[in-house]
Amino acid sequence: MSVTKLLAISLGAILTNNFIFAQFLGICPFLGVSKKSDTALGMGLAVTFVMGLASAITYGVNIILVKLHLEFMQTVAFILVIAALVQFIEMFLKKSVPTLYTALGIYLPLITTNCAVLGVALLNVQNNYNFIQSVVYGVTGGLGFLLAIYLFATIRERTQFCDYPKSFEGFPIALITAGLIALAFMGFSGLQVWPM
Amino acid sequence: MNTIIYAVLVLGITALIFGIILAIAAKIFEVKTDPRLPEIQSALAGANCGGCGYPGCAGCAEAILNGKAPVNACAPAGAEGAAKIAAIMGLEAPSGEKMVAHVICNGGESCVKNFDYVGVKSCLAATKVAGGPTACQFGCLGFGECVSACQFDAIHVNEKGVAEVDKEKCTNCGACREACPRKLIVEVPYKQKVFVNCANKDKGPAVTKVCANACIACGLCERTCRLDAIHVVGNVAVIDYDKCKNCTMCAKACPKNAIEPIPTPEEKEKFKAAQKALAEKKTAEAAAQQSAEPAKAE
């Protein structure tokens, strides 16, 4: 059961229930950091990393909360965890991998405000995932985010060279593009490879 | 009641634990930076224009700190910024005249077009199509490659279809000079008022066919200038900004109006009359001298 379940979770997080196109989480960095494909790639990788780690740690925090019957505090406790985690990663990268640190730049602290990260922590609880399932869901959810933002950034790079009406320049055309990709991702809904 | 106490305790304790971990991590992962680095960076213009050739202002500050870049590497910060950085670094600030960018083309409407270019609105892309839509291989294309390169809103394509620098806003960062595929943008002193606005290095007859306002290398300006400040070099007039005193005589003498400031027709007439009078006076003087000389010989 375990492996097929994990594969189903991965497929769901990347395609059918993509965080951006199906659940509409993490739209802010998705629109803000998608002007260039290489920065989009950096942002996607950083988010993947943080989402995986956040799923693991919030799993532990949630056990404490459930034991003390404090489930209503999940949101605030998870935000605390995520903020601390991002801070810690920033310090760690600055010391150990300065090249990656400079490449990510401002996007690293911005992950704190990425609702997809909070979303993955809350969804893990909602879906009653165990530890391994939580981590897999976090990492693959991040990969789904990476796929979405990279696809979107490459399309946005191309639309810059297109001739469209003045009133559509900039954000309007970006939003229309995002909508169209979301429609395309709708095609994945109902996809079921392994009967569960 | 218990729930509230537990809630406060759990959140407080988790926050405390994370706080302690972060405090320890800050000590372990501490990266020592030179205290001069943020000081230098604050003295730079902060536009991240890339004119210095380094990736952003942070890159430039680091290069200055390591002695790889001169203290006046940041053109937008100007002499003031260079002096500040020099003080931080303990070096002498080099004094320099304020320079600005200038576009050496006044073709636009008078420039003959070979074909209508329909495509990506970029000068670089346009030059790749059969050598560009303008018949003049040296002229401004007017698609605004420089306009988008400028971080300071200091260069715009004017109503004639030629890029024009607003020298009050220009910081001489050099981004437009890099962006122009025809290398039409040059560095000039801020005080300079007279410019040859043409870069066409073809011979006179060929130039006349492609542009009404182009330099035909006739040399009238060279002969008019009394300060030896303008010379025809490679079929185009070039001003020596060290010698030029902005008298605008060359601009009035130019038959093609290729030199800025472009004179009004009245000014031109007046100048021509004055030149004629001067020439007549000279011939009269010469004649008088000639008639005086034989008298002396006798």
Side-chain angles (χ1 to χ4, degrees):
Chain A
M1 159 260 145
S2 178
V3 177
T4 38
K5 182 86 198 270
L6 290 184
L7 278 170
I9 289 173
S10 317
L11 202 67
I14 296 175
L15 297 176
T16 41
N17 284 320
N18 186 294
F19 269 89
I20 287 174
F21 294 132
Q23 310 195 46
F24 307 109
L25 292 169
I27 298 292
C28 160
F30 174 67
L31 291 174
V33 201
S34 56
K35 275 194 182 140
K36 278 186 187 163
S37 57
D38 47 347
T39 49
L41 203 63
M43 183 68 182
L45 286 172
V47 167
T48 310
F49 186 61
V50 174
M51 273 170 94
L53 216 56
S55 313
I57 295 181
T58 50
Y59 183 79
V61 173
N62 191 47
I63 289 174
I64 302 171
L65 290 183
V66 170
K67 269 197 180 147
L68 296 169
H69 302 290
L70 292 170
E71 286 92 345
F72 63 89
M73 292 227 313
Q74 274 163 354
T75 310
V76 64
F78 290 172
I79 285 181
L80 186 69
V81 171
I82 292 163
L85 199 61
V86 171
Q87 276 292 315
F88 184 79
I89 290 167
E90 198 180 340
M91 284 181 210
F92 175 74
L93 284 183
K94 200 172 178 183
K95 175 81 177 180
S96 316
V97 202
T99 40
L100 184 63
Y101 176 77
T102 45
L104 288 176
I106 183 75
Y107 308 124
L108 198 55
L110 272 182
I111 297 170
T112 320
T113 56
N114 187 340
C115 53
V117 183
L118 181 65
V120 80
L122 290 173
L123 283 171
N124 280 334
V125 177
Q126 242 175 50
N127 296 346
N128 286 323
Y129 285 154
N130 64 27
F131 183 71
I132 296 171
Q133 286 169 339
S134 297
V135 175
V136 168
Y137 189 57
V139 172
T140 50
L143 289 177
F145 179 87
L146 173 68
L147 175 77
I149 198 170
Y150 189 66
L151 269 180
F152 184 54
T154 46
I155 295 173
R156 258 183 106 172
E157 276 180 347
R158 288 185 153 227
T159 54
Q160 289 202 332
F161 291 112
C162 295
D163 242 347
Y164 36 76
K166 185 101 187 149
S167 51
F168 281 103
E169 269 175 25
F171 257 107
I173 198 76
L175 288 172
I176 291 170
T177 316
L180 289 175
I181 308 175
L183 270 180
F185 266 71
M186 288 276 282
F188 288 118
S189 62
L191 179 75
Q192 214 171 5
V193 184
W194 298 278
M196 285 197 289
Chain B
M1 192 61 208
N2 265 352
T3 329
I4 296 174
I5 294 171
Y6 276 144
V8 172
L9 274 181
V10 167
L11 212 58
I13 291 169
T14 355
L16 193 69
I17 293 170
F18 280 125
I20 292 168
I21 292 175
L22 283 181
I24 296 168
K27 275 275 175 235
I28 297 173
F29 297 121
E30 194 184 7
V31 180
K32 284 207 170 70
T33 49
D34 198 313
R36 291 178 296 177
L37 193 67
E39 284 179 40
I40 294 175
Q41 203 171 341
S42 66
L44 297 175
N48 285 319
C49 63
C52 53
Y54 293 95
C57 293
C60 182
E62 214 172 298
I64 292 173
L65 191 66
N66 296 335
K68 281 183 199 151
V71 289
N72 60 351
C74 183
E80 206 181 311
K84 262 191 216 163
I85 296 166
I88 297 165
M89 294 289 291
L91 295 169
E92 287 279 306
S95 62
E97 197 175 357
K98 190 187 172 189
M99 304 290 271
V100 287
H102 180 78
V103 183
I104 46 168
C105 178
N106 63 354
E109 291 159 339
S110 52
C111 181
V112 178
K113 299 280 182 290
N114 274 348
F115 56 89
D116 268 339
Y117 172 77
V118 183
V120 178
K121 299 258 180 295
S122 144
C123 302
L124 186 61
T127 53
K128 301 286 184 222
V129 182
T134 57
C136 171
Q137 291 299 301
F138 303 89
C140 177
L141 294 147
F143 291 116
E145 198 92 50
C146 47
V147 179
S148 43
C150 184
Q151 302 270 341
F152 303 96
D153 191 38
I155 189 162
H156 295 283
V157 176
N158 63 16
E159 68 280 356
K160 282 160 81 186
V162 176
E164 195 178 325
V165 177
D166 179 346
K167 71 176 187 177
E168 299 307 324
K169 285 184 187 167
C170 181
T171 59
N172 195 31
C173 71
C176 54
R177 292 203 296 273
E178 286 291 317
C180 182
R182 293 197 153 160
K183 301 287 163 233
L184 277 175
I185 306 174
V186 293
E187 206 181 12
V188 299
Y190 175 78
K191 287 176 199 147
Q192 184 68 23
K193 290 193 183 80
V194 182
F195 306 101
V196 179
N197 281 342
C198 183
N200 197 318
K201 291 190 173 62
D202 284 337
K203 293 234 162 66
V207 176
T208 324
K209 275 181 201 152
V210 296
C211 183
N213 290 345
C215 173
I216 51 170
C218 65
L220 259 176
C221 49
E222 198 175 321
R223 270 169 273 149
T224 310
C225 185
R226 293 175 192 174
L227 297 159
D228 192 37
I230 186 163
H231 295 281
V232 175
V233 183
N235 287 321
V236 65
V238 177
I239 295 175
D240 182 342
Y241 299 121
D242 289 334
K243 289 180 183 167
C244 181
K245 293 265 193 287
N246 292 319
C247 73
T248 72
M249 293 279 275
C250 52
K252 285 168 190 154
C254 182
K256 287 288 184 182
N257 285 344
I259 304 179
E260 191 186 318
I262 296 164
T264 57
E266 294 92 67
E267 274 178 338
K268 248 187 143 138
E269 282 309 311
K270 216 172 145 190
F271 176 76
K272 267 187 190 163
Q275 289 290 88
K276 213 173 165 187
L278 199 73
E280 271 168 14
K281 202 176 156 194
K282 265 191 183 165
T283 43
E285 263 175 24
Q289 227 168 23
Q290 252 176 12
S291 57
E293 264 169 27
K296 254 187 195 172
E298 276 171 17

